Amino acid sequence: MIQTIVQKLTGRGSTLRAAEHRFIIIALVPTILFYLIVKFYPIFFAFFISLHEWSLFGNVSPFVGLDNYALLAKDSLFYKVMWNTMYRTFAGTFLGALFALIVALILNPIKRGSILLRLIYFLPVMTSVIASATIWKWMLQTRFGLLNQLLLMLGIPPVPWLQSTTWAMPSVIVMGIWAGLGFTVIIYLAGLRGIPRDYYESAEIDGANSLQLALKITLPLLKPVVSFVLITGVIGGFSGGFQAIYMMTGGGPLDSTRVLALHIYDYAFERLFMGQAASMSFVLFAIVLVLTLVQFKLQRIDWEL
Amino acid sequence: MANQDFVGVPSQVDTQALRRGATEIRRLSRGTLFNYIILGAGAILMVVPFIWMVSTSFKPQAETVSFPPRLFPINPTISNYIDVFDRANMGRLYWNTTFVSVIKTIFNIYTSALLGYIFGKFVFRGRDIIFYILLSTWIIPFEVYLIPLYLMTVQVGWANTYTALIVPEIFTVYAMFMFRQFMYTIPTELVDAARIDGAGEWYIFHRIIIPLSKAALFTLIAFYFMWNWNDFLWPLVVIADQDKYVITVGLATFVGEYWSQYGVIMAGASLAIIPILALFIAVQRFIIEGVVLTGLKG
């Protein structure tokens, strides 16, 4: 009985037994239900919320059409938030990718101590960002923080790192690079391992020096990995930064470190403008979607080369 | 759940590289020393925050704000740690976080192994379409889900419960994808042979597939436990009751209340970091080896 139903459903009854079908169905039905309820329905619900003036406590949530989106387009704070998000994303991604590349290129040929070095560079990746941001906030404290005390010993006057509109964002970016560097290094090392050793050996026989090896062999062959790191870094950057900024500056001073993820949280759960916050999350969704499609295109091109 | 993008299962041992390494004559060029100096300086920058955290956490308040900075406290004290346990209810935070992380990790890994097995080892109509539709949810930022999931949680009466922390994240796309990749390395003949011997499908999954997936299992368990332990935004939004806080939310609240008592704050940060770093160092072989470029192979 089951077998005939399943055969009709799958059209491949001859290769699978009824027991296998039952196994697949028992596993897949709850999965699909879960995804419908927890992963797909909320997206439509979020869009529905974004069309309302939704607040948590008032029972009245009037329908306002696309007004929330129109408000964003006129909101100078939102433009500032988008600028901050892009500043943090691009500066953090490109500098992080560059430093990680340098570390990986030097670390790759090393044998003695390489496991210990990889472990050390990887430590911040494993650490809770809430905890490491707390340490950075302490190290960057204006009067008693380690950095300013060391600068003072060199005769340099203290800089209010996290209280200055100029320095707060660079500080947050440097902390982010520190936290993510080890991860990128490991990705580069995996990419470097994929380059055949023979290329280097034959180039060395031809008398190439190590700089030439790096520029003529390693970097061109590593190009797909670099572009992968950059694009995924930019995609992640647009929705990232919440924990570090929440702990270190709270978005200040004067909104100079207010990024999109923090702004959405703040509007939804501190100011309780859920409709407005939902519309921002859709702007974020659109950006990420476009960048992901770009990534798919680029990766294909890179691999055809 | 950021940064889930590129962690993979351990690749097989590169025997060729081992042989090369064994036969290769170690050459010490001028460049090598220079390389070690650069990497060493970088490594120091990486660990300074941790060292300074530990150093501060053993200092009495007066020493934390004294100039010039000292690495070793003059009068080391553990009173900061005692204070954290008293004031931040650290024991409770540890228990809550461990409880939630263990349950979430078990669900994450079990469901992902099962689905990875089904998508990787069975042929049925619609398999690839279903798989890619599930996989596509990977790219959606959590911020999109934050508001609707919160409202749904309130509606079903789960606000302020661990159910709300655990249930929305039972299934996870990333581990499912990794397990599916891993299943390709398990020979189909093995499964077929077990079937001929009369083994049931669940028996095959539990007694043959799971033991064979040990390498993938350990890496993913370590990563998911760590991610679940360090999770912040969703617990921050869903849990209101201080007794139910997880460690990240507890630490954030504690820092907000006691900022300027730097020794106590750093003791709190140490206590939040140390268990997970100890676990990481214990299993680091699996983890670092496990990070491979799956994204590029697709």
Side-chain angles (χ1 to χ4, degrees), chain A residues 23-40, chain B residues 110-112 114-116 118-119 130-131 133-135 137 170-173 176 202:
Chain A
F23 179 65
I24 293 171
I25 286 167
I26 289 172
L28 276 189
V29 168
T31 310
I32 291 170
L33 278 177
F34 174 89
Y35 273 85
L36 286 176
I37 296 169
V38 174
K39 297 284 180 189
F40 292 105
Chain B
Y110 184 81
T111 57
S112 304
L114 180 63
L115 292 169
I118 282 176
F119 287 120
I130 297 173
F131 177 76
I133 288 176
L134 300 187
L135 191 65
T137 60
I170 282 179
F171 287 86
T172 144
V173 176
M176 175 185 81
W202 290 99

Side-chain angles (χ1 to χ4, degrees), chain B residues 142-186:
Chain B
F142 183 70
E143 278 73 16
V144 176
Y145 290 114
L146 188 61
I147 297 162
L149 266 188
Y150 176 73
L151 294 175
M152 288 160 74
T153 306
V154 173
Q155 216 152 31
V156 294
W158 287 352
N160 205 19
T161 65
Y162 290 149
T163 319
L165 283 191
I166 295 164
V167 170
E169 290 175 9
I170 282 179
F171 287 86
T172 144
V173 176
Y174 178 68
M176 175 185 81
F177 178 76
M178 295 316 307
F179 272 113
R180 174 172 167 269
Q181 301 295 99
F182 189 81
M183 291 305 161
Y184 294 142
T185 67
I186 295 178

Side-chain angles (χ1 to χ4, degrees), chain A residues 10 12 17 20 27 34-35 39 42 106 110 112 121 126-128 135 138 141 149 178 183 186-187 228 269, chain B residues 6 24 35-36 39 42-43 46 49-50 56 69 118 123 125 145 148 167 173 201 226 230 237 262 291 293:
Chain A
T10 63
R12 298 212 186 151
R17 295 176 308 133
E20 293 170 47
F34 174 89
Y35 273 85
K39 297 284 180 189
I106 301 177
I110 279 180
R112 197 173 294 190
Y121 281 94
M126 305 300 291
T127 310
S128 139
I135 309 172
W138 162 227
Q141 208 271 358
Q149 293 212 338
W178 171 85
F183 204 79
I186 300 291
I187 292 175
F228 177 78
F269 294 99
Chain B
F6 336 96
E24 195 166 321
N35 288 347
Y36 274 110
L39 285 178
M46 296 309 279
F50 294 113
T56 307
I118 282 176
V123 181
R125 191 194 283 179
Y145 290 114
V167 170
V173 176
E201 293 301 321
M226 177 202 86
N230 290 341
V237 166
Y262 306 110
V291 180
L293 266 182

Side-chain angles (χ1 to χ4, degrees), chain A residues 146-176:
Chain A
L146 180 63
L147 182 58
N148 277 342
Q149 293 212 338
L150 293 177
L151 289 178
L152 198 61
M153 291 166 85
L154 300 172
I156 300 169
V159 180
W161 299 107
L162 298 175
Q163 276 86 46
S164 130
T165 49
T166 330
W167 287 109
M169 187 57 105
S171 305
V172 168
I173 290 172
V174 168
M175 185 275 169

Side-chain angles (χ1 to χ4, degrees), chain B:
Chain B
M1 303 284 271
N3 263 347
Q4 296 191 6
D5 306 37
F6 336 96
V7 188
V9 295
S11 55
Q12 279 170 343
V13 176
D14 188 350
T15 47
Q16 222 188 332
L18 281 178
R19 248 184 288 127
R20 262 201 316 265
T23 52
E24 195 166 321
I25 302 157
R26 205 169 273 139
R27 288 172 302 170
L28 260 178
S29 63
R30 265 178 304 152
T32 313
L33 184 64
F34 180 69
N35 288 347
Y36 274 110
I37 290 171
I38 291 199
L39 285 178
I44 289 170
L45 287 179
M46 296 309 279
V47 292
V48 158
F50 294 113
I51 291 171
W52 197 243
M53 166 187 81
V54 174
S55 165
T56 307
S57 74
F58 287 107
K59 285 175 183 171
Q61 175 69 9
E63 277 188 56
T64 60
V65 296
S66 67
F67 183 84
R70 281 171 175 278
L71 181 57
F72 295 105
I74 305 167
N75 300 304
T77 169
I78 58 160
S79 70
N80 293 329
Y81 285 89
I82 296 168
D83 277 3
V84 178
F85 265 93
D86 286 350
R87 288 191 241 164
N89 206 355
M90 210 63 191
R92 180 85 210 186
L93 291 178
Y94 271 142
W95 165 249
N96 294 348
T97 316
T98 310
F99 175 79
V100 172
S101 309
V102 166
I103 293 190
K104 259 170 89 176
T105 307
I106 291 171
F107 274 121
N108 291 160
I109 300 302
Y110 184 81
T111 57
S112 304
L114 180 63
L115 292 169
Y117 173 51
I118 282 176
F119 287 120
K121 274 276 169 273
F122 289 86
V123 181
F124 53 95
R125 191 194 283 179
R127 180 191 66 178
D128 291 349
I129 296 168
I130 297 173
F131 177 76
Y132 284 112
I133 288 176
L134 300 187
L135 191 65
S136 69
T137 60
W138 193 0
I139 66 159
I140 302 166
F142 183 70
E143 278 73 16
V144 176
Y145 290 114
L146 188 61
I147 297 162
L149 266 188
Y150 176 73
L151 294 175
M152 288 160 74
T153 306
V154 173
Q155 216 152 31
V156 294
W158 287 352
N160 205 19
T161 65
Y162 290 149
T163 319
L165 283 191
I166 295 164
V167 170
E169 290 175 9
I170 282 179
F171 287 86
T172 144
V173 176
Y174 178 68
M176 175 185 81
F177 178 76
M178 295 316 307
F179 272 113
R180 174 172 167 269
Q181 301 295 99
F182 189 81
M183 291 305 161
Y184 294 142
T185 67
I186 295 178
T188 311
E189 295 79 29
L190 213 65
V191 181
D192 288 337
R195 281 194 190 119
I196 291 164
D197 290 345
E201 293 301 321
W202 290 99
Y203 183 91
I204 295 175
F205 174 65
H206 289 133
R207 297 300 175 87
I208 297 173
I209 298 299
I210 293 229
L212 281 173
S213 314
K214 256 185 215 147
L217 218 58
F218 283 144
T219 307
L220 288 168
I221 285 173
F223 263 103
Y224 271 86
F225 185 77
M226 177 202 86
W227 282 324
N228 290 333
W229 177 282
N230 290 341
D231 201 13
F232 178 68
L233 180 52
W234 184 236
L236 174 71
V237 166
V238 167
I239 302 295
D241 192 344
Q242 289 232 348
D243 282 343
K244 294 181 185 166
Y245 274 180
V246 293
I247 202 154
T248 47
V249 179
L251 179 65
T253 313
F254 185 69
V255 170
E257 276 172 46
Y258 295 100
W259 184 252
S260 80
Q261 297 186 36
Y262 306 110
V264 185
I265 296 289
M266 286 302 111
S270 304
L271 288 171
I273 287 176
I274 285 165
I276 209 77
L277 277 197
L279 180 80
F280 164 59
I281 289 167
V283 299
Q284 53 100 1
R285 191 166 57 92
F286 291 114
I287 290 190
I288 297 187
E289 280 303 307
V291 180
V292 292
L293 266 182
T294 51
L296 279 172
K297 287 176 181 162

Side-chain angles (χ1 to χ4, degrees), chain A residues 219-247:
Chain A
L219 287 182
L221 286 172
L222 209 56
K223 216 183 91 190
V225 185
V226 176
S227 75
F228 177 78
V229 164
L230 290 178
I231 297 167
T232 51
V234 169
I235 292 174
F238 270 94
S239 58
F242 175 75
Q243 298 190 22
I245 292 172
Y246 179 88
M247 286 309 286

